[in-house]
Amino acid sequence: MNLSLPVMNEMMNYDFDGSLGKITQQVSKALGKKLEVKFAQHTILINAAQWSIISMLYKKVRVIQKDIGIYLGMDKVMIKRVIDQLENKEIVTRESSKHDKRFNHIQLTQTGRELYLKLMPYALETLNEACIGIDETEMDRCIDILHQVYANIKR
């Protein structure tokens, strides 16, 4: 199956309503909002950006602050603000690099690791609700395609 899109020319009009950018942004924001609502229903005040960092650190253990921002697509100001919030809640610790003071290493505290385990079922529930009516093969294909789109953009 050829998934290539037609080359844009003067005769074609850009359709924002049907665009990949619009739908991926809508899905991302809607998932984040739904997740925040689900957390709040369980009296957990963690937002989607904070959850992204917690999830990343649970898997990667200890990461340079700048790399978190790059990986999650957050600018320096946003990543600093979110990490400050998590640090104030004692969910993460920030430590200056011994080799280069410009870099901060971020890692989950024990409280952060426990919080991840508490929140993960709600995150999975949210994803499952979002994927109702979509079989696993279709979802795997969708994710593969989005990875390819991302790789194409990063070239």
Side-chain angles (χ1 to χ4, degrees), residues 39 44 46 50-60 91 108-124:
F39 289 166
I44 302 164
I46 294 294
Q50 292 168 338
W51 170 246
S52 294
I53 293 172
I54 292 167
S55 297
M56 179 186 179
L57 291 174
Y58 189 82
K59 302 293 183 195
K60 296 193 181 284
I91 294 169
L108 287 178
T109 61
Q110 184 60 35
T111 300
R113 295 184 74 68
E114 291 168 5
L115 181 62
Y116 171 86
L117 294 173
K118 181 177 180 179
L119 295 177
M120 177 47 72
Y122 304 129
L124 288 174

Side-chain angles (χ1 to χ4, degrees), residues 56-107:
M56 179 186 179
L57 291 174
Y58 189 82
K59 302 293 183 195
K60 296 193 181 284
V61 183
R62 188 169 188 235
V63 183
I64 294 172
Q65 181 172 321
K66 178 182 175 184
D67 292 343
I68 295 171
I70 292 168
Y71 187 77
L72 297 176
M74 295 181 189
D75 64 41
K76 288 194 297 190
V77 173
M78 171 95 168
I79 198 68
K80 182 186 180 321
R81 183 178 43 219
V82 176
I83 289 173
D84 285 348
Q85 294 165 351
L86 292 172
E87 193 173 34
N88 289 337
K89 294 179 180 186
E90 299 180 350
I91 294 169
V92 302
T93 59
R94 181 181 355 219
E95 180 182 313
S96 292
S97 171
K98 292 176 175 81
H99 305 292
D100 189 338
K101 297 296 180 193
R102 295 175 297 166
F103 297 109
N104 292 314
H105 293 280
I106 311 298
Q107 63 187 30

